[in-house]
Amino acid sequence: MSEYLIPEKSPKIPTDPRARKRLEQAVAIGDLDELVGVPLPLVVPRFLVTYMNSVVGGRIRSATVVSVTNRSEQPARVVVRWYKGFSDDNNPVGTTAFSIPADYTVDFSSRNIPFELTTVNSVCNPELVFDEGRAVVLSSRARIGVSSRVYYTSGDKDEQLLAITDSEVVRYATGNSGE
């Protein structure tokens, strides 16, 4: 049995008793775990997040959050690789990974931010504190949905939300249609 305690109330915890039971079962059997040090040979690039910003110095701070929903019927291993601008896809500045059960959504973040802004499930290692660029979402399953946004805050602990912007997400290696 998992030692992970599921909070009674959280924006990401289902309130429906059957959905909560499914979540508890997924945690208990290990389908919902952060992947630390686990080799992931079966993940392939699926999506490109065209803009990432993660800064803690200065008056305005930022963090990028990538939400991934597993729409397949099996758990999906998902990796988000974070890249600085003017670099190729061979040298990420950070990585985060998670095994997502079917029909669940997980938030990956470039750095930790207060749960009042959004509940982050997996934080980049190392946390990005002065980076701008892009992110690549890799997955073991093709049926995933991806969205991304940048949170702009102020204060030493991100206590004041200034803005949230959406970043364009396109299929990897195919580009977009100029939307």
Side-chain angles (χ1 to χ4, degrees):
M1 190 60 104
S2 173
E3 294 181 24
Y4 178 77
L5 298 176
I6 299 174
E8 286 300 315
K9 282 190 163 186
S10 171
K12 293 267 174 88
I13 303 299
T15 55
D16 174 67
R18 291 188 337 168
R20 184 177 176 88
K21 182 73 172 166
R22 281 187 50 215
L23 175 62
E24 290 169 349
Q25 289 172 340
V27 170
I29 64 173
D31 278 349
L32 185 65
D33 285 328
E34 191 161 6
L35 302 173
V36 179
V38 176
L40 300 172
L42 301 176
V43 297
V44 297
R46 307 281 183 188
F47 291 95
L48 168 69
V49 175
T50 61
Y51 182 70
M52 173 276 293
N53 192 310
S54 191
V55 176
V56 297
R59 292 185 352 223
I60 298 176
R61 300 161 59 95
S62 61
T64 300
V65 176
V66 176
S67 297
V68 179
T69 302
N70 179 9
R71 298 301 302 158
S72 72
E73 296 177 5
Q74 303 293 324
R77 291 183 174 183
V78 176
V79 175
V80 178
R81 293 186 182 151
W82 308 86
Y83 297 91
K84 281 192 176 198
F86 295 110
S87 68
D88 59 24
D89 285 354
N90 294 319
N91 297 304
V93 292
T95 301
T96 182
F98 210 96
S99 180
I100 307 174
D103 293 327
Y104 281 88
T105 301
V106 168
D107 283 342
F108 299 83
S109 184
S110 60
R111 66 177 182 85
N112 208 0
I113 59 175
F115 71 89
E116 293 89 355
L117 296 177
T118 190
T119 303
V120 173
N121 305 108
S122 189
V123 178
C124 183
N125 185 15
E127 288 190 47
L128 305 181
V129 296
F130 191 67
D131 299 277
E132 183 177 61
R134 69 192 177 287
V136 175
V137 179
L138 302 93
S139 175
S140 61
R141 307 275 178 210
R143 293 189 59 205
I144 61 171
V146 178
S147 66
S148 180
R149 60 213 169 275
V150 180
Y151 289 79
Y152 294 93
T153 63
S154 63
D156 291 340
K157 295 181 181 175
D158 302 302
E159 53 268 5
Q160 184 176 5
L161 177 63
L162 302 176
I164 302 172
T165 62
D166 289 333
S167 296
E168 184 78 22
V169 177
V170 297
R171 293 209 173 270
Y172 191 81
T174 62
N176 65 6
S177 300
E179 295 90 39

